[in-house]
Amino acid sequence: SNGSMPPGLAPAERNDYATFLEVQLERMTTAALAAASFDERITALQRRHALTDANLLGSVRLAKSAEACAREAKRTADRFERMLEDSQTLAATQRDALGRYERSLGKLRADVEGVEAHLAMALVRADRADDQLLAQQAEVEAVRRTAERDHGWLRAEIDGLRATGLARTELLDGVREEWGGHEH
């Protein structure tokens, strides 16, 4: 009479069969929720990984730019320093020009120190970003291995459920044939 219940089962067998089906459904639901949870975690880790990659790339570009600027500033400082040394041999009438060169050199040295400080900070940030990237790669790998293990477990559970369902279907078909033979 019930479409999902095999005919000819005693009430106790029907209850057992219904309980069995509920347990199987609960297992499948739990497995599906676990798989969805792993997918969400992997997606979140991939987003974090992409963001870290972008930050690292920006830090590396900044460090290279700061390094080039520091080299150019150093060359300029060296050039001003040579001009200052040459200027010291000039006559007393050139002292005003010499003072301007000295002030320019001081500012340029301060600029070089500032650029070098920025470069040092950029290198520290790049090192941190690299460390974070390595840690996140290890975390992604661990989640991937867990997901692969759980996927294998889920596949085995599903295959087991299929095999159990097929065996029960064959058993029920045999019972139906046997009961069908007794009715005639």
Side-chain angles (χ1 to χ4, degrees), residues 98-165:
L98 182 59
R100 284 193 304 272
Y101 286 139
E102 288 174 343
R103 286 189 296 279
S104 294
L105 180 60
K107 183 182 180 308
L108 188 57
R109 283 192 175 138
D111 290 346
V112 167
E113 289 173 6
V115 168
E116 287 174 347
H118 285 299
L119 174 61
M121 288 188 302
L123 291 173
V124 167
R125 283 195 302 267
D127 285 344
R128 275 194 221 125
D130 190 42
D131 292 344
Q132 288 173 347
L133 178 61
L134 290 174
Q136 287 177 356
Q137 285 173 338
E139 188 176 330
V140 166
E141 181 61 25
V143 169
R144 185 191 62 75
R145 283 194 306 271
T146 300
E148 285 177 356
R149 184 194 68 227
D150 289 348
H151 180 264
W153 174 82
L154 290 173
R155 176 61 51 208
E157 284 291 317
I158 290 169
D159 289 345
L161 291 173
R162 282 188 183 139
T164 302

Side-chain angles (χ1 to χ4, degrees), residues 31-87:
L33 290 174
S37 172
F38 282 119
D39 282 345
E40 289 172 8
R41 287 173 57 194
I42 288 171
T43 300
L45 285 172
Q46 287 171 339
R47 279 194 300 266
R48 284 176 44 201
H49 180 69
L51 182 60
T52 300
D53 280 350
N55 287 341
L56 178 61
L57 183 59
S59 295
V60 168
R61 286 180 182 157
L62 177 63
K64 286 181 180 180
S65 176
E67 186 177 0
C69 185
R71 280 195 305 269
E72 183 57 33
K74 175 86 169 93
R75 282 193 294 270
T76 303
D78 290 346
R79 211 170 39 247
F80 274 104
E81 197 166 3
R82 284 191 301 274
M83 290 172 68
L84 177 62
E85 291 169 0
D86 292 343
S87 294

